[in-house]
Amino acid sequence: MEKTLTYKPQNAWETYADAPQRKSMEALAVRYIDFLTRCKTERETVDYVRERLIQAGYGEDFAGERVLRPLRGKALFAARRGSRPLEEGLTLIAAHADTPRLDFKQRPLIEQPGVAQAKTHYYGGIRKYQWLARPLALHGVVIRENGESLTVNIGEKPDEPVFCIADLLPHLAQKQSGQTISEAFEAEKLNIILSHSPKQGKGGKKDKDAPKEPIKEQLLDILHKKYGISEEDLITAELQAVPAGPARFVGFDKALVGGYGQDDRICVFTALEALLTAEAGQGNMAVIFWDKEEIGSDGATGAASRFFQYCVEDLARSWAPGVPASHVLLHSRALSADVQAALDPDFQEVHEKQNAAQLGCGPCFSKFTGSRGKYGASEADAEFFGQLRGLYNAKGIPWQTAELGKVDLGGGGTVALFLAAYGMRVIDLGPAVLSMHSPFELASVADLHATLEAYKAFLEA
Ligand code: MN
Ligand code: MN
């Protein structure tokens, strides 16, 4: 393409305009929709990734050329050896597998008039009203006293029941409609309806044995009969309420994908595909998928933990004895693969349009994240950014650049700073999404394809 002096981001639909490209884009989107439909929690995502890697010959022995290491089923590191020495660093893509949701409290069950409910504690940044009056599915694990694990996944198949938080009817919402959003929607009212029918008493006029909380007791009977679990078992469970139902194409042209958890599973999916399909190259490729990003990356399976460092230490011992892991880390190059907020057609005023991400213009670089005066951010250096720009221009891969909203209006972070802490070069690159953190996020099919191309080109470079 002829270079002009002015800059304008390229539209990925124009880049990928010919019929075979469009066909392979749609095929990729179909596989992505299946992945989104099946993987709604970090555990399910890590299981999926692990299975795909094992099928591709990855093993847990770091002496191998293709290695993987999961942590507690919630985070995963994988690496693929290249011909260049590990001393030159890793080419790494990092994404996160956790998503905003409603977690069951440890003692969740309550009975209120007419229903038994589960009390919840929300995880990550949600707009609470989006979770009312919509079908929810339950995903997670229940760990029994003897250590046995029961996997839970209810509400996804068409013949299975779903669960729901009731919302206030408009007729009685007059007072609420004058309140601020944070006053109107209280976290302690996010109670999920689990059942409705009461347990029958034994009969008689004065039934001393009549259950005190008949609906809750009936529910416990059902849970015991069906799954062999008691109320105490729920204390040692991780149960997540997530939007029920499949991801879908959106629009007459099927050019968008709608679904839950695209932040950041679109990056997990494309980074995994990139690792699996990249041409065997010279560089040593790696991916890491973390948990806990949505709540600040703390915890054993989050980016602030030492897990990644330990993996690189073991990799160095095995692939490059004598080379300190610190050297490998310092010389690595990384993409922090996370989504960017797309310019919202109906809320354009929160964006500074020239530096906002456009749906359909390819993956988006964020040179820095954070808020206010770039607080809480790591910032990529211009040299690294420049190299990547050159790489993508040479390969004809569309890309763009953005900040998260207007300066001083908000902000947000990614895992980039945890990698930057090692001194490695790192920049954020990921597709734009609309309705981020909602039960039904939107991403462009063209961006999905362009992001895969960009991650692949980075790993191969
Ligand atoms: Mn994210
Ligand atoms: Mn997020």
Short mmCIF file of all heavy atoms in Angstrom, two decimals, residues 19-70:
data_model
loop_
_atom_site.label_atom_id
_atom_site.label_comp_id
_atom_site.label_asym_id
_atom_site.label_seq_id
_atom_site.Cartn_x
_atom_site.Cartn_y
_atom_site.Cartn_z
N ALA A 19 -12.61 -13.44 -0.89
CA ALA A 19 -13.53 -14.49 -0.44
C ALA A 19 -12.86 -15.58 0.41
O ALA A 19 -13.40 -15.94 1.46
CB ALA A 19 -14.24 -15.09 -1.64
N PRO A 20 -11.70 -16.12 0.00
CA PRO A 20 -11.10 -17.16 0.86
C PRO A 20 -10.75 -16.67 2.26
O PRO A 20 -10.92 -17.39 3.24
CB PRO A 20 -9.83 -17.57 0.09
CG PRO A 20 -9.90 -16.96 -1.25
CD PRO A 20 -10.93 -15.88 -1.22
N GLN A 21 -10.28 -15.40 2.33
CA GLN A 21 -9.96 -14.83 3.64
C GLN A 21 -11.21 -14.73 4.51
O GLN A 21 -11.20 -15.09 5.68
CB GLN A 21 -9.33 -13.45 3.49
CG GLN A 21 -7.83 -13.51 3.27
CD GLN A 21 -7.27 -12.15 2.89
OE1 GLN A 21 -7.95 -11.33 2.27
NE2 GLN A 21 -6.02 -11.92 3.24
N ARG A 22 -12.28 -14.24 3.88
CA ARG A 22 -13.54 -14.09 4.62
C ARG A 22 -14.04 -15.45 5.10
O ARG A 22 -14.59 -15.57 6.19
CB ARG A 22 -14.61 -13.42 3.73
CG ARG A 22 -14.34 -11.95 3.47
CD ARG A 22 -14.52 -11.13 4.75
NE ARG A 22 -14.17 -9.74 4.56
CZ ARG A 22 -15.01 -8.78 4.17
NH1 ARG A 22 -16.27 -9.08 3.91
NH2 ARG A 22 -14.61 -7.54 4.04
N LYS A 23 -13.81 -16.46 4.28
CA LYS A 23 -14.27 -17.80 4.65
C LYS A 23 -13.49 -18.33 5.85
O LYS A 23 -14.05 -18.89 6.79
CB LYS A 23 -14.09 -18.75 3.45
CG LYS A 23 -15.35 -19.53 3.17
CD LYS A 23 -15.19 -20.48 2.03
CE LYS A 23 -16.18 -21.62 2.25
NZ LYS A 23 -16.04 -22.66 1.25
N SER A 24 -12.18 -18.12 5.83
CA SER A 24 -11.38 -18.62 6.95
C SER A 24 -11.64 -17.79 8.21
O SER A 24 -11.57 -18.30 9.32
CB SER A 24 -9.89 -18.68 6.59
OG SER A 24 -9.29 -17.42 6.69
N MET A 25 -11.99 -16.48 8.01
CA MET A 25 -12.37 -15.66 9.16
C MET A 25 -13.61 -16.20 9.82
O MET A 25 -13.71 -16.28 11.04
CB MET A 25 -12.64 -14.22 8.70
CG MET A 25 -11.42 -13.35 8.74
SD MET A 25 -11.60 -11.90 7.69
CE MET A 25 -12.83 -10.97 8.53
N GLU A 26 -14.58 -16.58 8.99
CA GLU A 26 -15.84 -17.07 9.56
C GLU A 26 -15.60 -18.41 10.26
O GLU A 26 -16.14 -18.65 11.35
CB GLU A 26 -16.91 -17.21 8.49
CG GLU A 26 -18.27 -17.39 9.13
CD GLU A 26 -19.43 -17.61 8.17
OE1 GLU A 26 -19.38 -17.07 7.05
OE2 GLU A 26 -20.37 -18.32 8.56
N ALA A 27 -14.76 -19.25 9.66
CA ALA A 27 -14.48 -20.55 10.27
C ALA A 27 -13.81 -20.37 11.63
O ALA A 27 -14.11 -21.07 12.59
CB ALA A 27 -13.60 -21.39 9.34
N LEU A 28 -12.89 -19.40 11.70
CA LEU A 28 -12.23 -19.12 12.98
C LEU A 28 -13.26 -18.64 14.00
O LEU A 28 -13.24 -19.07 15.16
CB LEU A 28 -11.14 -18.05 12.78
CG LEU A 28 -10.36 -17.66 14.04
CD1 LEU A 28 -9.43 -18.80 14.48
CD2 LEU A 28 -9.55 -16.38 13.81
N ALA A 29 -14.17 -17.78 13.56
CA ALA A 29 -15.19 -17.24 14.47
C ALA A 29 -16.11 -18.36 14.98
O ALA A 29 -16.49 -18.36 16.15
CB ALA A 29 -16.01 -16.16 13.77
N VAL A 30 -16.41 -19.31 14.13
CA VAL A 30 -17.26 -20.44 14.55
C VAL A 30 -16.56 -21.23 15.66
O VAL A 30 -17.16 -21.58 16.67
CB VAL A 30 -17.62 -21.35 13.35
CG1 VAL A 30 -18.21 -22.68 13.80
CG2 VAL A 30 -18.57 -20.63 12.40
N ARG A 31 -15.26 -21.46 15.48
CA ARG A 31 -14.51 -22.19 16.51
C ARG A 31 -14.39 -21.37 17.79
O ARG A 31 -14.45 -21.89 18.90
CB ARG A 31 -13.11 -22.56 15.99
CG ARG A 31 -13.16 -23.68 14.96
CD ARG A 31 -11.83 -24.42 14.87
NE ARG A 31 -10.79 -23.54 14.37
CZ ARG A 31 -9.66 -23.29 15.03
NH1 ARG A 31 -9.43 -23.82 16.21
NH2 ARG A 31 -8.75 -22.49 14.50
N TYR A 32 -14.24 -20.06 17.62
CA TYR A 32 -14.14 -19.17 18.78
C TYR A 32 -15.46 -19.15 19.56
O TYR A 32 -15.47 -19.20 20.79
CB TYR A 32 -13.77 -17.76 18.29
CG TYR A 32 -13.79 -16.70 19.36
CD1 TYR A 32 -13.03 -16.85 20.51
CD2 TYR A 32 -14.58 -15.56 19.22
CE1 TYR A 32 -13.06 -15.87 21.51
CE2 TYR A 32 -14.60 -14.58 20.20
CZ TYR A 32 -13.85 -14.74 21.34
OH TYR A 32 -13.87 -13.78 22.32
N ILE A 33 -16.57 -19.13 18.84
CA ILE A 33 -17.88 -19.13 19.49
C ILE A 33 -18.08 -20.41 20.30
O ILE A 33 -18.57 -20.39 21.43
CB ILE A 33 -19.00 -18.93 18.43
CG1 ILE A 33 -19.02 -17.46 18.00
CG2 ILE A 33 -20.35 -19.37 18.95
CD1 ILE A 33 -19.94 -17.15 16.83
N ASP A 34 -17.62 -21.52 19.74
CA ASP A 34 -17.70 -22.80 20.47
C ASP A 34 -16.85 -22.75 21.74
O ASP A 34 -17.28 -23.19 22.81
CB ASP A 34 -17.24 -23.93 19.54
CG ASP A 34 -17.17 -25.26 20.28
OD1 ASP A 34 -18.22 -25.71 20.75
OD2 ASP A 34 -16.06 -25.81 20.42
N PHE A 35 -15.66 -22.18 21.62
CA PHE A 35 -14.76 -22.05 22.78
C PHE A 35 -15.41 -21.17 23.86
O PHE A 35 -15.45 -21.53 25.05
CB PHE A 35 -13.44 -21.45 22.30
CG PHE A 35 -12.58 -20.81 23.37
CD1 PHE A 35 -11.79 -21.59 24.21
CD2 PHE A 35 -12.54 -19.43 23.52
CE1 PHE A 35 -11.00 -21.00 25.19
CE2 PHE A 35 -11.75 -18.83 24.49
CZ PHE A 35 -10.98 -19.62 25.34
N LEU A 36 -15.97 -20.03 23.45
CA LEU A 36 -16.61 -19.12 24.42
C LEU A 36 -17.79 -19.78 25.12
O LEU A 36 -18.03 -19.58 26.30
CB LEU A 36 -17.14 -17.87 23.71
CG LEU A 36 -16.20 -16.72 23.43
CD1 LEU A 36 -16.99 -15.58 22.79
CD2 LEU A 36 -15.49 -16.22 24.68
N THR A 37 -18.53 -20.58 24.33
CA THR A 37 -19.71 -21.25 24.87
C THR A 37 -19.31 -22.30 25.90
O THR A 37 -19.99 -22.49 26.90
CB THR A 37 -20.50 -21.91 23.72
OG1 THR A 37 -20.88 -20.88 22.79
CG2 THR A 37 -21.74 -22.63 24.21
N ARG A 38 -18.18 -22.97 25.65
CA ARG A 38 -17.76 -24.05 26.53
C ARG A 38 -16.96 -23.57 27.74
O ARG A 38 -16.94 -24.24 28.77
CB ARG A 38 -16.91 -25.06 25.74
CG ARG A 38 -17.74 -25.88 24.78
CD ARG A 38 -17.07 -27.17 24.48
NE ARG A 38 -16.14 -27.05 23.37
CZ ARG A 38 -15.10 -27.85 23.20
NH1 ARG A 38 -14.84 -28.79 24.08
NH2 ARG A 38 -14.31 -27.70 22.16
N CYS A 39 -16.24 -22.46 27.59
CA CYS A 39 -15.31 -22.03 28.65
C CYS A 39 -15.80 -20.73 29.27
O CYS A 39 -15.63 -19.66 28.69
CB CYS A 39 -13.91 -21.83 28.07
SG CYS A 39 -13.26 -23.32 27.33
N LYS A 40 -16.40 -20.82 30.43
CA LYS A 40 -16.94 -19.62 31.09
C LYS A 40 -16.26 -19.31 32.40
O LYS A 40 -16.56 -18.30 33.03
CB LYS A 40 -18.45 -19.78 31.29
CG LYS A 40 -19.21 -19.84 29.98
CD LYS A 40 -20.68 -19.63 30.17
CE LYS A 40 -21.40 -19.62 28.82
NZ LYS A 40 -22.85 -19.46 28.98
N THR A 41 -15.36 -20.17 32.84
CA THR A 41 -14.61 -19.90 34.07
C THR A 41 -13.12 -20.10 33.78
O THR A 41 -12.76 -20.70 32.76
CB THR A 41 -15.01 -20.86 35.20
OG1 THR A 41 -14.59 -22.19 34.84
CG2 THR A 41 -16.50 -20.85 35.45
N GLU A 42 -12.29 -19.63 34.69
CA GLU A 42 -10.85 -19.81 34.49
C GLU A 42 -10.49 -21.30 34.49
O GLU A 42 -9.62 -21.73 33.73
CB GLU A 42 -10.03 -19.03 35.53
CG GLU A 42 -10.23 -19.40 36.98
CD GLU A 42 -11.45 -18.71 37.60
OE1 GLU A 42 -12.17 -17.99 36.88
OE2 GLU A 42 -11.68 -18.90 38.81
N ARG A 43 -11.18 -22.08 35.34
CA ARG A 43 -10.89 -23.52 35.37
C ARG A 43 -11.22 -24.17 34.03
O ARG A 43 -10.44 -24.95 33.49
CB ARG A 43 -11.71 -24.21 36.46
CG ARG A 43 -11.23 -23.96 37.88
CD ARG A 43 -12.18 -24.65 38.86
NE ARG A 43 -11.92 -24.26 40.24
CZ ARG A 43 -11.12 -24.94 41.06
NH1 ARG A 43 -10.49 -26.01 40.66
NH2 ARG A 43 -10.95 -24.53 42.31
N GLU A 44 -12.41 -23.85 33.48
CA GLU A 44 -12.80 -24.45 32.21
C GLU A 44 -11.87 -24.00 31.09
O GLU A 44 -11.55 -24.78 30.18
CB GLU A 44 -14.25 -24.06 31.89
CG GLU A 44 -15.26 -24.74 32.81
CD GLU A 44 -16.65 -24.10 32.79
OE1 GLU A 44 -16.83 -23.05 32.14
OE2 GLU A 44 -17.54 -24.66 33.45
N THR A 45 -11.42 -22.76 31.15
CA THR A 45 -10.54 -22.23 30.12
C THR A 45 -9.18 -22.93 30.17
O THR A 45 -8.63 -23.36 29.14
CB THR A 45 -10.37 -20.71 30.28
OG1 THR A 45 -11.67 -20.12 30.34
CG2 THR A 45 -9.59 -20.10 29.14
N VAL A 46 -8.65 -23.05 31.38
CA VAL A 46 -7.34 -23.69 31.53
C VAL A 46 -7.42 -25.18 31.14
O VAL A 46 -6.51 -25.71 30.49
CB VAL A 46 -6.79 -23.49 32.97
CG1 VAL A 46 -5.63 -24.44 33.27
CG2 VAL A 46 -6.34 -22.04 33.14
N ASP A 47 -8.53 -25.84 31.48
CA ASP A 47 -8.72 -27.24 31.05
C ASP A 47 -8.70 -27.35 29.53
O ASP A 47 -8.07 -28.25 28.96
CB ASP A 47 -10.07 -27.78 31.54
CG ASP A 47 -10.01 -28.22 33.00
OD1 ASP A 47 -8.90 -28.24 33.57
OD2 ASP A 47 -11.08 -28.51 33.57
N TYR A 48 -9.40 -26.45 28.87
CA TYR A 48 -9.48 -26.45 27.40
C TYR A 48 -8.08 -26.26 26.81
O TYR A 48 -7.66 -27.01 25.92
CB TYR A 48 -10.42 -25.34 26.94
CG TYR A 48 -10.44 -25.08 25.45
CD1 TYR A 48 -11.38 -25.69 24.63
CD2 TYR A 48 -9.51 -24.21 24.86
CE1 TYR A 48 -11.39 -25.45 23.26
CE2 TYR A 48 -9.52 -23.97 23.49
CZ TYR A 48 -10.46 -24.58 22.70
OH TYR A 48 -10.46 -24.34 21.35
N VAL A 49 -7.37 -25.26 27.32
CA VAL A 49 -6.03 -24.95 26.80
C VAL A 49 -5.11 -26.16 27.00
O VAL A 49 -4.37 -26.55 26.10
CB VAL A 49 -5.45 -23.71 27.52
CG1 VAL A 49 -3.98 -23.52 27.19
CG2 VAL A 49 -6.24 -22.46 27.15
N ARG A 50 -5.19 -26.74 28.19
CA ARG A 50 -4.34 -27.87 28.53
C ARG A 50 -4.58 -29.04 27.56
O ARG A 50 -3.65 -29.63 27.04
CB ARG A 50 -4.66 -28.30 29.97
CG ARG A 50 -3.59 -29.12 30.60
CD ARG A 50 -3.87 -29.38 32.08
NE ARG A 50 -3.37 -30.70 32.40
CZ ARG A 50 -4.10 -31.79 32.38
NH1 ARG A 50 -5.39 -31.73 32.13
NH2 ARG A 50 -3.55 -32.96 32.63
N GLU A 51 -5.86 -29.31 27.32
CA GLU A 51 -6.20 -30.41 26.42
C GLU A 51 -5.67 -30.17 25.01
O GLU A 51 -5.10 -31.07 24.40
CB GLU A 51 -7.73 -30.54 26.35
CG GLU A 51 -8.23 -31.86 26.87
CD GLU A 51 -9.74 -31.81 27.08
OE1 GLU A 51 -10.47 -31.73 26.07
OE2 GLU A 51 -10.16 -31.81 28.26
N ARG A 52 -5.87 -28.95 24.51
CA ARG A 52 -5.38 -28.62 23.16
C ARG A 52 -3.87 -28.78 23.09
O ARG A 52 -3.33 -29.27 22.09
CB ARG A 52 -5.76 -27.19 22.78
CG ARG A 52 -7.26 -26.91 22.62
CD ARG A 52 -7.82 -27.31 21.27
NE ARG A 52 -7.02 -26.91 20.13
CZ ARG A 52 -7.12 -25.75 19.48
NH1 ARG A 52 -8.02 -24.88 19.85
NH2 ARG A 52 -6.35 -25.49 18.44
N LEU A 53 -3.17 -28.35 24.13
CA LEU A 53 -1.70 -28.42 24.13
C LEU A 53 -1.24 -29.87 24.20
O LEU A 53 -0.30 -30.27 23.50
CB LEU A 53 -1.13 -27.63 25.30
CG LEU A 53 -1.21 -26.10 25.17
CD1 LEU A 53 -0.83 -25.42 26.48
CD2 LEU A 53 -0.33 -25.58 24.03
N ILE A 54 -1.91 -30.68 25.01
CA ILE A 54 -1.52 -32.10 25.13
C ILE A 54 -1.72 -32.79 23.78
O ILE A 54 -0.86 -33.54 23.32
CB ILE A 54 -2.30 -32.78 26.28
CG1 ILE A 54 -1.74 -32.28 27.62
CG2 ILE A 54 -2.19 -34.30 26.19
CD1 ILE A 54 -2.54 -32.69 28.84
N GLN A 55 -2.85 -32.47 23.11
CA GLN A 55 -3.09 -33.03 21.77
C GLN A 55 -1.97 -32.64 20.81
O GLN A 55 -1.64 -33.37 19.88
CB GLN A 55 -4.41 -32.50 21.20
CG GLN A 55 -5.63 -33.25 21.71
CD GLN A 55 -6.92 -32.48 21.38
OE1 GLN A 55 -6.91 -31.56 20.55
NE2 GLN A 55 -8.00 -32.86 22.03
N ALA A 56 -1.40 -31.46 21.02
CA ALA A 56 -0.35 -30.98 20.12
C ALA A 56 1.04 -31.42 20.58
O ALA A 56 2.05 -30.92 20.07
CB ALA A 56 -0.42 -29.45 20.02
N GLY A 57 1.09 -32.33 21.55
CA GLY A 57 2.37 -32.91 21.93
C GLY A 57 3.09 -32.18 23.06
O GLY A 57 4.27 -32.44 23.32
N TYR A 58 2.42 -31.28 23.74
CA TYR A 58 3.03 -30.59 24.88
C TYR A 58 2.99 -31.50 26.10
O TYR A 58 2.01 -32.23 26.29
CB TYR A 58 2.31 -29.28 25.19
CG TYR A 58 2.64 -28.17 24.21
CD1 TYR A 58 2.18 -28.22 22.89
CD2 TYR A 58 3.41 -27.09 24.60
CE1 TYR A 58 2.49 -27.22 21.98
CE2 TYR A 58 3.73 -26.08 23.70
CZ TYR A 58 3.26 -26.15 22.39
OH TYR A 58 3.57 -25.16 21.50
N GLY A 59 4.05 -31.46 26.89
CA GLY A 59 4.10 -32.29 28.09
C GLY A 59 4.64 -31.51 29.27
O GLY A 59 5.22 -30.43 29.12
N GLU A 60 4.46 -32.09 30.45
CA GLU A 60 4.84 -31.36 31.67
C GLU A 60 6.33 -31.49 32.01
O GLU A 60 6.81 -30.82 32.92
CB GLU A 60 3.96 -31.80 32.85
CG GLU A 60 2.51 -31.39 32.63
CD GLU A 60 1.68 -31.32 33.90
OE1 GLU A 60 2.26 -31.09 34.97
OE2 GLU A 60 0.46 -31.51 33.78
N ASP A 61 7.04 -32.35 31.29
CA ASP A 61 8.48 -32.48 31.52
C ASP A 61 9.21 -31.36 30.79
O ASP A 61 9.20 -31.30 29.55
CB ASP A 61 8.93 -33.86 31.01
CG ASP A 61 10.42 -34.08 31.23
OD1 ASP A 61 11.09 -33.16 31.78
OD2 ASP A 61 10.91 -35.15 30.84
N PHE A 62 9.85 -30.50 31.56
CA PHE A 62 10.50 -29.34 30.96
C PHE A 62 11.75 -29.68 30.12
O PHE A 62 12.34 -28.81 29.49
CB PHE A 62 10.84 -28.28 32.03
CG PHE A 62 9.72 -27.32 32.30
CD1 PHE A 62 8.40 -27.73 32.21
CD2 PHE A 62 9.96 -25.99 32.62
CE1 PHE A 62 7.34 -26.86 32.45
CE2 PHE A 62 8.92 -25.09 32.86
CZ PHE A 62 7.61 -25.54 32.77
N ALA A 63 12.13 -30.96 30.13
CA ALA A 63 13.23 -31.37 29.26
C ALA A 63 12.78 -31.40 27.80
O ALA A 63 13.60 -31.34 26.88
CB ALA A 63 13.74 -32.75 29.68
N GLY A 64 11.47 -31.46 27.58
CA GLY A 64 10.94 -31.53 26.22
C GLY A 64 11.07 -30.21 25.48
O GLY A 64 11.51 -29.20 26.04
N GLU A 65 10.67 -30.24 24.21
CA GLU A 65 10.75 -29.05 23.36
C GLU A 65 9.44 -28.26 23.40
O GLU A 65 9.40 -27.11 22.98
CB GLU A 65 11.01 -29.45 21.91
CG GLU A 65 12.19 -30.39 21.73
CD GLU A 65 13.47 -29.63 21.39
OE1 GLU A 65 13.53 -29.10 20.29
OE2 GLU A 65 14.36 -29.59 22.25
N ARG A 66 8.37 -28.93 23.83
CA ARG A 66 7.05 -28.28 23.94
C ARG A 66 6.53 -28.60 25.32
O ARG A 66 6.23 -29.75 25.62
CB ARG A 66 6.10 -28.83 22.89
CG ARG A 66 6.51 -28.45 21.50
CD ARG A 66 5.66 -29.10 20.44
NE ARG A 66 6.15 -28.69 19.14
CZ ARG A 66 5.40 -28.54 18.07
NH1 ARG A 66 4.11 -28.78 18.14
NH2 ARG A 66 5.91 -28.15 16.93
N VAL A 67 6.47 -27.58 26.14
CA VAL A 67 6.18 -27.85 27.54
C VAL A 67 4.99 -27.04 28.04
O VAL A 67 4.67 -25.98 27.50
CB VAL A 67 7.41 -27.54 28.43
CG1 VAL A 67 8.62 -28.32 27.95
CG2 VAL A 67 7.72 -26.05 28.47
N LEU A 68 4.33 -27.58 29.05
CA LEU A 68 3.24 -26.84 29.68
C LEU A 68 3.24 -27.11 31.16
O LEU A 68 3.76 -28.14 31.61
CB LEU A 68 1.88 -27.25 29.08
CG LEU A 68 1.24 -28.54 29.60
CD1 LEU A 68 -0.17 -28.30 30.04
CD2 LEU A 68 1.27 -29.61 28.54
N ARG A 69 2.73 -26.16 31.91
CA ARG A 69 2.59 -26.33 33.35
C ARG A 69 1.37 -25.57 33.83
O ARG A 69 1.35 -24.35 33.82
CB ARG A 69 3.83 -25.84 34.09
CG ARG A 69 3.70 -25.98 35.61
CD ARG A 69 4.98 -25.63 36.32
NE ARG A 69 6.05 -26.58 36.02
CZ ARG A 69 7.33 -26.37 36.36
NH1 ARG A 69 7.67 -25.27 37.00
NH2 ARG A 69 8.24 -27.27 36.06
N PRO A 70 0.34 -26.32 34.25
CA PRO A 70 -0.82 -25.65 34.84
C PRO A 70 -0.58 -25.40 36.32
O PRO A 70 0.23 -26.09 36.93
CB PRO A 70 -1.97 -26.64 34.63
CG PRO A 70 -1.33 -27.94 34.27
CD PRO A 70 0.15 -27.78 34.15
#
